[in-house]
């Protein structure tokens, strides 16, 4: 299997996607537990202007979800044959980093 820098960029994108997803899910679980404990309705609790105690976490959850959308957009571009290695966060993809994921034969190119 031959892998290009563009393929390694996809690996980086998907790794970051799943990292962000794990963090977002954990954050959402903590927020939901706090919401249920407080007995607040969803709309009120998740409004950062009305919930100063959890505003930072709420805004971080939204930031993570936006990042996940952007990362999935990059993966979609790759899936349609587009180049994603030019993206700033992905440009520093090291082939060595992906060797463990794809195997040594993939980095031989």
């Amino acid at each position: 299997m031959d892998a290009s820098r563009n393929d390694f960029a996809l690996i980086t994108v998907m790794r970051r996607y799943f990292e962000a997803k794990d963090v977002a899910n954990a954050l959402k679980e903590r927020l939901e537990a706090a919401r249920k404990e407080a007995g607040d309705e969803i709309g009120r609790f998740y409004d950062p202007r009305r919930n100063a105690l959890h505003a930072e976490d709420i805004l971080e959850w939204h930031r993570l979800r936006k990042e996940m959308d952007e990362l999935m957009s990059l993966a979609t571009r790759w899936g349609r044959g587009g180049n994603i290695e030019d993206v700033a966060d992905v440009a520093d993809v090291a082939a060595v980093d992906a060797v463990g994921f794809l195997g040594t034969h993939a980095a031989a190119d």
Side-chain angles (χ1 to χ4, degrees), residues 44-60:
R44 178 174 172 76
F45 184 86
Y46 286 102
D47 182 348
R49 295 166 297 189
R50 297 171 74 182
N51 188 348
L53 182 61
H54 297 286
E56 195 172 303
D57 286 342
I58 293 166
L59 293 174
E60 177 64 6

Side-chain angles (χ1 to χ4, degrees), residues 1-4 7-8 102 105-109:
M1 174 163 94
D2 293 328
S4 68
D7 296 332
F8 291 131
L102 292 177
H105 61 282
D109 194 23

Side-chain angles (χ1 to χ4, degrees), residues 20-70:
K21 184 178 179 182
D22 287 346
V23 172
N25 286 342
L27 188 54
K28 184 70 169 195
E29 285 179 23
R30 287 195 314 271
L31 286 168
E32 265 304 289
R35 182 189 71 79
K36 289 176 182 177
E37 185 177 314
D40 276 347
E41 59 187 56
I42 292 172
R44 178 174 172 76
F45 184 86
Y46 286 102
D47 182 348
R49 295 166 297 189
R50 297 171 74 182
N51 188 348
L53 182 61
H54 297 286
E56 195 172 303
D57 286 342
I58 293 166
L59 293 174
E60 177 64 6
W61 182 83
H62 283 291
R63 188 198 66 73
L64 287 164
R65 295 297 301 174
K66 181 180 178 190
E67 181 183 0
M68 289 169 59
D69 288 345
E70 291 167 356

Side-chain angles (χ1 to χ4, degrees), residues 9-23:
L10 176 67
I11 292 169
T12 299
V13 164
M14 294 312 298
R15 280 183 177 168
R16 178 59 196 144
Y17 174 87
F18 287 111
E19 288 170 2
K21 184 178 179 182
D22 287 346
V23 172

